Amino acid sequence: MAMPEEGWVMDADVIIVGAGPAGLMLAGELCLAGARPLVLERQPRLRETPRASGFNGQIVELLRYRGLLDRVEAASGRAVHPAPGAPFGGMHLDFSRLADPPIWAVPLPQPRLERLLGERAGELGADIRRGHEVAGASQDDATAAADVHGPDGSYRVTARYLVGCDGARSRVRDAAGIAFPGITYPEVNRLAQASLPDSVTRLDNGDLDVPGLGRIRAGFTRTGRGVFAFGSLTHGNVLIQTTEDEPAEVSDDEPITLAEFQDSIRRVLGADLPLAEVTRLSRYGFAARQAERYRDGRILVAGDAAHQFPATGIGINFGMMDAVNLAWKLAAVVGGKAPAGLLDTYHSERHFAGARALLQTQAQVALRRGQDPAAEALRELFGELLADDQPLRRLGTLIAGTSIRYPMPGPSQHALAGTFAPDLILHTGQGTTSVADLMHAARPVLLDLADRQDLREAARDWQYRIDIRTAQTDHRPADAVLIRPDACIAWAAATGEPAGTAAPALREALSRWFGTP
Ligand SMILES: Cc1cc2nc3c(=O)[nH]c(=O)nc-3n(C[C@H](O)[C@H](O)[C@H](O)COP(=O)(O)OP(=O)(O)OC[C@H]3O[C@@H](n4cnc5c(N)ncnc54)[C@H](O)[C@@H]3O)c2cc1C
């Protein structure tokens, strides 16, 4: 527990506002890194509102690196699998023909993900208080504080830092005076998972034949009054979505009725679509916004509080990856071991990642919303480009966030620096292991892949802060890699790089990321 002044014990090292995927992941990772988080969540119980039906992208690999994928698969009841395709601005990306799938998907509904992350954080020692709403956040030179309305009344908690993981309408962000510029699109999307009655015929190619309406193509149909989309799910269910222009901002959390959904279908298609059993209904709007700064002194933001993307399917990945990037840096600061400037790299790296996600999701808006001949031409040309594997794969890695390379400080960096560490199979004197296995404990690792005694020697002063491992791998990408707890490669030695340049560069990287020994 951190003590800012003699005799004054704080309630926690880090206050986290919000127990969504970002806040709960942050809590677990902070515990792994040795810090004491306190999570304050206004909802008294785990959320049941259906939001995401699953998630995908880089976070899937990270969860595997933490040894959590078995648990995720058990909660999902299904194996993590390569995504056969993805929607992109009203078009369909078909990944099934690619040999190396660019996106891995987890079909785990958000409430179950939150349960799992909450259980894990609790097991690791996080204090999670549900039914405790944060009314205000403030800071001074030494502390951050939250004013809380709990079931037993109002109180104040203090910590060294406070992180707003409180969603798109973040009160913490506002309290810190962090601007959230961007645009909210004047449209509303309504989504249902349903089965269809016998009167609706499903044709062999996936299209629907609807009495009184005729044939509706699988995928996206523009009608001039909006967009109607549907796709097949397992067990004969379909996912149906309407998109209509509506000037008023919509609330994602307000419940939607079946009548509202059917009215929307009638407006868009001009006729009714009979539905049998409806198992899920939701409504959401689209905005493209990014917090100007992810940090203001002792207050930081992560997840939807830091960014909102105008396309589905990526919010959980980017929010949880924010948390993974932030946790070890915050823990190093509260533990008094952080080098100067470490915490600021959270903004420079994750704001950059969020901007890349905004780039591809904004491009989707241009593809999806345009109604004039120029927009038609854009869609047609884009469709032609998607016939080639390379642009298809590139878009897949953009959606997944796997092509992100953080800008790394320092001259002439190795091409691996700033990228997510690949899961190399490692042969050691004690048997075979892997990069994924080494990352379970979320500790930094210097991985010597070429028996480089000079580099092991250079890192010796840091041996209590980092794990130093020697191994062989079949296709060696570098002589050595320094891997941060978030699995990002902080530094790498080129094959055969002389000790005279590699050893000082390694020491500099170690100081930069893990402080003076
Ligand atoms: C219909 C719908 C479908 C979606 N589908 C997908 C999908 O398929 N895949 C995907 O990746 N993403 C999807 N998303 C997006 C995804 O749900 C979000 O990106 C994700 O929930 C963001 O996580 P978060 O932890 O940042 O914030 P949130 O999940 O919004 O959590 C914020 C938490 O903070 C709490 N809170 C807020 N204010 C306070 C306060 N003052 N005091 C205390 N607690 C507070 C809230 O109660 C909430 O629990 C979907 C969203 C919607 C609406």
Side-chain angles (χ1 to χ4, degrees), residues 142-337:
T143 56
D147 293 307
V148 190
H149 297 316
D152 301 321
S154 298
Y155 63 99
R156 169 174 271 225
V157 279
T158 56
R160 295 280 303 280
Y161 286 87
L162 181 148
V163 187
C165 297
D166 50 344
R169 292 186 177 82
S170 169
R171 196 175 277 172
V172 170
R173 189 186 59 226
D174 290 348
I178 298 174
F180 198 42
I183 176 172
T184 298
Y185 291 98
E187 71 176 31
V188 57
N189 298 273
R190 295 182 175 87
L191 183 74
Q193 184 172 321
S195 57
L196 298 169
D198 292 344
S199 58
V200 176
T201 311
R202 298 176 84 163
L203 303 173
D204 287 347
N205 65 355
D207 294 355
L208 298 182
D209 191 9
V210 184
L213 196 60
R215 191 172 181 139
I216 309 177
R217 264 190 313 129
F220 297 85
T221 304
R222 284 164 199 284
T223 67
R225 293 170 299 277
V227 177
F228 175 88
F230 84 90
S232 294
L233 296 169
T234 48
H235 310 303
N237 284 331
V238 284
L239 210 52
I240 302 171
Q241 181 177 300
T242 61
T243 305
E244 295 176 272
D245 275 2
E246 284 181 28
E249 204 172 315
V250 298
S251 164
D252 298 344
D253 289 325
E254 283 283 308
I256 158 176
T257 63
L258 182 57
E260 178 185 329
F261 185 64
Q262 284 173 318
D263 287 349
S264 174
I265 292 180
R266 193 176 310 118
R267 285 193 299 272
V268 174
L269 287 181
D272 287 325
L273 173 71
L275 302 173
E277 195 191 355
V278 176
T279 45
R280 174 195 165 167
L281 275 170
S282 48
R283 177 204 310 103
Y284 58 94
F286 275 136
R289 296 187 177 276
Q290 188 171 28
E292 220 164 50
R293 293 165 290 141
Y294 282 18
R295 175 183 179 201
D296 179 78
R298 295 183 175 275
I299 300 184
L300 302 103
V301 287
D304 277 15
H307 41 66
Q308 265 190 296
F309 307 121
T312 52
I314 65 167
I316 290 180
N317 176 27
F318 278 80
M320 285 172 65
M321 288 301 291
D322 288 346
V324 174
N325 185 288
L326 176 58
W328 69 275
K329 296 173 182 174
L330 260 185
V333 175
V334 298
K337 297 185 203 131

Side-chain angles (χ1 to χ4, degrees), residues 279-466:
T279 45
R280 174 195 165 167
L281 275 170
S282 48
R283 177 204 310 103
Y284 58 94
F286 275 136
R289 296 187 177 276
Q290 188 171 28
E292 220 164 50
R293 293 165 290 141
Y294 282 18
R295 175 183 179 201
D296 179 78
R298 295 183 175 275
I299 300 184
L300 302 103
V301 287
D304 277 15
H307 41 66
Q308 265 190 296
F309 307 121
T312 52
I314 65 167
I316 290 180
N317 176 27
F318 278 80
M320 285 172 65
M321 288 301 291
D322 288 346
V324 174
N325 185 288
L326 176 58
W328 69 275
K329 296 173 182 174
L330 260 185
V333 175
V334 298
K337 297 185 203 131
L342 179 68
L343 200 49
D344 288 327
T345 66
Y346 168 62
H347 168 87
S348 55
E349 294 179 354
R350 291 312 295 170
H351 192 277
F352 170 78
R356 294 295 294 166
L358 270 173
L359 177 82
Q360 62 92 358
T361 50
Q362 288 278 57
Q364 293 194 47
V365 175
L367 276 172
R368 187 167 58 81
R369 282 183 60 81
Q371 298 289 355
D372 59 5
E376 292 297 344
L378 178 66
R379 284 191 280 271
E380 192 172 331
L381 179 65
F382 210 83
E384 285 180 19
L385 292 176
L386 294 182
D388 296 336
D389 287 359
Q390 203 275 343
L392 190 62
R393 186 175 297 109
R394 177 83 175 259
L395 285 176
T397 59
L398 261 174
I399 294 170
T402 47
S403 55
I404 285 165
R405 181 179 179 208
Y406 295 141
M408 286 283 128
S412 58
Q413 289 284 351
H414 192 283
L416 284 173
T419 65
F420 194 87
D423 188 15
L424 305 172
I425 300 299
L426 304 171
H427 309 291
T428 74
Q430 288 78 46
T432 299
T433 180
S434 66
V435 167
D437 286 343
L438 297 185
M439 299 312 297
H440 278 15
R443 276 177 57 80
V445 180
L446 174 68
L447 187 55
D448 165 19
L449 295 167
D451 199 7
R452 293 278 303 250
Q453 201 195 339
D454 56 321
L455 299 181
R456 294 198 303 274
E457 190 57 37
R460 213 157 59 122
D461 290 344
W462 282 267
Q463 63 185 320
Y464 299 110
R465 295 203 186 165
I466 66 167

Side-chain angles (χ1 to χ4, degrees), residues 17-23 40-43 47 50-56 110 114 132-135 165-168 171 191 252 280 282-284 302-305 312-317 319:
V17 184
L40 299 167
E41 165 59 50
R42 69 178 169 198
Q43 300 293 344
R47 170 163 53 194
R51 277 185 144 197
S53 47
F55 60 95
N56 60 53
Q110 189 161 341
E114 290 175 6
H132 293 247
E133 175 159 10
V134 171
C165 297
D166 50 344
R171 196 175 277 172
L191 183 74
D252 298 344
R280 174 195 165 167
S282 48
R283 177 204 310 103
Y284 58 94
D304 277 15
T312 52
I314 65 167
I316 290 180
N317 176 27

